[in-house]
Amino acid sequence: MKIPHDAGSTALATAADASREDQSLHGETLTRLRDHIVEGNIPDGGRVPERQLCEMLGISRTPLREALKVLASEGLVELLPNRGARVRQLSERDLAELFDVMGGLESLAGRLACENITDAEIAEIERLHYEMYGFYLNRDMHGYFRVNQLIHHKIVEASRNATLRGAYANFAGRIRRVRYLANFARKRERWGEAMREHETILDALRRRAGSELSDILFVHLRNKRTAAIEHLNEGDSAVSGAGRDDASRIDPILNSKL
């Protein structure tokens, strides 16, 4: 018996495939655009060059503007009525307040994570730590920062507190760019300092030392705040080539405990 062709099912399948392709394009555009802005390719307060970005990303303005709406909700950019968008510029006071709030959230997350985290989750964070260290040794700031942020998110997730996760996500996007650029502060070896702090974070997490990890994470964010303000005062000129110029000053980070 001949099975009748179901035109409706075929149309639905085609529509579903098209929807998945659109979602994939949106996700890729969003990731690439976010990285482009976070890594300092557009100055603070600078207008987002839509035409050039469309050419760079190989897309039309519609998906670009959809991605900009998401980044505006994250706090990375500001949408200007009928005038496109610009990178959000934070003052020294803004940075101080935001980093202190983030420090408080991460401090609480660390304490709760030590009460709730599983051995498998600790093992995954340890794996990410070594991956991050590899990026550090190779002076790959893009890879380092991506894994660094993933580690912090994993700790927040391990808190098992949905309200905390929501508050953290709300603030994290607003300082993602300055958190990245703070690693280039010239008055200190912030990148190496941050790597050493992550060693102590991992050690306290392994031991489930909640109070200790809470203090470490707060100080970690306070040091990042200081570096971010230093970098703000230095200007973005330090970013260009910083990863290469510091290569000769790599110091050993992992000790015998790791």
Side-chain angles (χ1 to χ4, degrees), residues 103-238:
L105 292 173
E106 292 208 20
S107 175
L108 175 59
R111 185 181 296 272
L112 294 177
C114 286
E115 297 175 1
N116 298 294
I117 199 166
T118 66
D119 290 343
E121 287 173 314
I122 292 177
E124 173 62 10
I125 290 174
E126 183 172 5
R127 184 193 67 78
L128 290 170
H129 177 86
Y130 288 121
E131 182 179 352
M132 180 177 68
Y133 183 58
F135 285 125
Y136 168 76
L137 290 177
N138 289 306
R139 313 311 282 173
D140 181 347
M141 178 59 79
H142 177 86
Y144 169 88
F145 187 73
R146 175 181 59 79
V147 179
N148 176 288
Q149 292 300 282
L150 187 54
I151 289 172
H152 284 276
H153 281 287
K154 291 286 186 183
I155 293 173
V156 173
E157 288 174 3
S159 72
R160 305 290 191 269
N161 188 304
T163 302
L164 174 58
R165 291 200 306 270
Y168 181 83
N170 182 49
F171 286 103
R174 296 167 66 180
I175 62 170
R176 184 179 284 113
R177 173 183 166 89
V178 290
R179 200 165 180 166
Y180 178 93
L181 297 177
N183 290 299
F184 296 112
R186 288 177 290 184
K187 291 183 180 179
R188 63 176 67 205
E189 281 289 332
R190 178 54 204 165
W191 196 354
E193 180 183 59
M195 193 65 231
R196 286 186 289 273
E197 289 166 2
H198 265 270
E199 178 187 345
T200 65
I201 289 170
L202 179 60
D203 178 60
L205 192 60
R206 282 171 172 156
R207 293 183 287 109
R208 291 179 169 82
S211 179
E212 184 179 338
L213 180 58
S214 176
D215 290 343
I216 291 170
L217 284 167
F218 187 82
V219 171
H220 180 62
L221 267 291
R222 179 58 62 86
N223 289 340
K224 180 73 75 172
R225 183 192 78 168
T226 300
I229 291 173
E230 285 178 2
H231 183 75
L232 176 68
N233 293 330
E234 291 168 356
D236 286 346
S237 60

Side-chain angles (χ1 to χ4, degrees), residues 21-136:
E21 289 179 4
D22 288 343
Q23 290 175 359
S24 177
L25 175 62
H26 174 72
E28 181 182 354
T29 298
L30 180 60
T31 297
R32 293 180 64 190
L33 182 58
R34 183 190 289 117
D35 288 345
H36 187 76
I37 294 173
V38 164
E39 293 174 9
N41 292 293
I42 304 172
D44 286 342
R47 292 286 293 274
V48 175
E50 292 189 10
R51 182 186 302 174
Q52 293 93 319
L53 288 173
C54 286
E55 292 175 358
M56 181 186 80
L57 299 173
I59 58 174
S60 67
R61 290 201 173 185
T62 297
L64 178 71
R65 288 173 176 172
E66 289 301 313
L68 286 172
K69 289 178 184 178
V70 176
L71 296 185
S73 71
E74 293 179 359
L76 267 179
V77 303
E78 296 175 297
L79 300 179
L80 307 173
N82 303 315
R83 292 186 293 125
R86 68 184 173 198
V87 174
R88 181 181 293 275
Q89 187 167 21
L90 298 173
S91 67
E92 185 171 326
R93 182 180 179 85
D94 291 333
L95 291 179
E97 292 180 354
L98 283 168
F99 271 103
D100 275 352
V101 170
M102 287 294 288
L105 292 173
E106 292 208 20
S107 175
L108 175 59
R111 185 181 296 272
L112 294 177
C114 286
E115 297 175 1
N116 298 294
I117 199 166
T118 66
D119 290 343
E121 287 173 314
I122 292 177
E124 173 62 10
I125 290 174
E126 183 172 5
R127 184 193 67 78
L128 290 170
H129 177 86
Y130 288 121
E131 182 179 352
M132 180 177 68
Y133 183 58
F135 285 125
Y136 168 76

